[in-house]
Amino acid sequence: MKISKVVVEPLDIPLKESFEIALGRFDMAKNVLVKIVLQNGITGYGEASSSEFITGDNQNTLISIINYLKPLLLGKSIEEYIKILQELKRAVKFHPGAFMALESALLDAYTQTLEIPLYKFLGGVSSKIETDITLSISSLENMLKNVFYHLKRGFKIFKIKVGKNVKEDFEKVVRVGEEFPQIEIRIDANQGFTPKEAVKFINSLVEKGIKITLFEQPVHCKDLKGLKFVTENSPVPVAADESVFTPEDAFMVARERIVDVINIKLSKCGGILEALDIISIARASHLELMIGCMLESNVGLAGSVHLACGTGCFSYVDLDSPLLLKELPFKGGFELEGPFLTVKHIERGLGISPA
Ligand code: MN
């Protein structure tokens, strides 16, 4: 079945509340929507979130690159999706957001033609995962209010963004942990600490009896020596996020035992095929896996949900972006019930349809 049309357009979605991390602040998800239409009318969906602070791409550059790549898709057979992707990746430099969105649309269309859901195509190990919910850097009052709100909706795992101010961060995490001893807390510093600050920070929290289960990207992404130092001196597992984009990066941190956990994001590695390579490296090295996201709506997140369900290999799931958005322009991809993401009801592809 041949590809007859490729549509790329901006998808701006306002956030429920402004989102701040150590690297910047956002009020709007400036995303990009991709649709690949086959001759028989089947439409595959993909989305990229622009996360310029992390990937260097913004909405405009992603749209230009995808438009530039269009001729490499039109008229091609969807059955040759791997060959098509290889050609796309050879044609331009590494733009993981663009690759991720195009791959999602290709795989969605392909598995629709096969009449199976993507998570089954990827192994079908499970059909339900539990995500954490992220608390961005904000006032303590706001953070406590957010924990209370999400606890009532069934969330048990909270990821707290830190890395702007060691002292304030420490006090906030302690207060949240003391106020809500029943929750599990993951910490993400987004590169904001020095190695020594990070080690002191995490040890002091654990000594205080706060239930921390993961420490994500404590130091600068290029400081692998510092990251290893934190891992060796942390009482909880340390995860690499910004330090690992590609399978090559994953191989490096695995070989040098830099971290305990690798956080895979399709928006960093460029899609599911690369994610599968990272998964293999992590498994062979006995590293644990986390799956994360940027600010994708359910369209862009669906590939990650299907990957996590299909492979069943992620110990830490951080796929909460739709919960941070004010509205979702499309339906489907998965179903959200509190912290649970389920794909069991999906019959073909990603299961996305216009709202
Ligand atoms: Mn992170």
Side-chain angles (χ1 to χ4, degrees), residues 193-253:
F193 292 149
T194 66
K196 279 189 178 160
E197 279 172 349
V199 167
K200 188 167 173 238
F201 185 81
I202 195 67
N203 280 284
S204 311
L205 281 176
V206 171
E207 279 158 26
K208 275 247 172 201
I210 308 301
K211 206 190 322 167
I212 312 288
T213 53
L214 189 72
F215 192 15
E216 196 181 329
Q217 198 65 48
V219 303
H220 192 273
C221 59
K222 300 276 183 226
D223 184 10
L224 297 184
K225 243 181 89 184
L227 191 53
K228 185 172 179 166
F229 171 78
V230 180
T231 301
E232 286 171 345
N233 293 285
S234 167
V236 305
V238 172
D241 182 1
E242 291 94 315
S243 291
V244 174
F245 272 55
T246 62
E248 289 85 343
D249 300 333
F251 182 66
M252 164 69 101
V253 303

Side-chain angles (χ1 to χ4, degrees), residues 2-21:
K2 290 202 166 37
I3 297 171
S4 62
K5 209 163 105 181
V6 179
V7 181
V8 52
E9 52 196 41
L11 187 65
D12 291 343
I13 311 172
L15 304 186
K16 281 182 186 159
E17 57 179 65
S18 89
F19 190 77
E20 187 171 4
I21 65 171

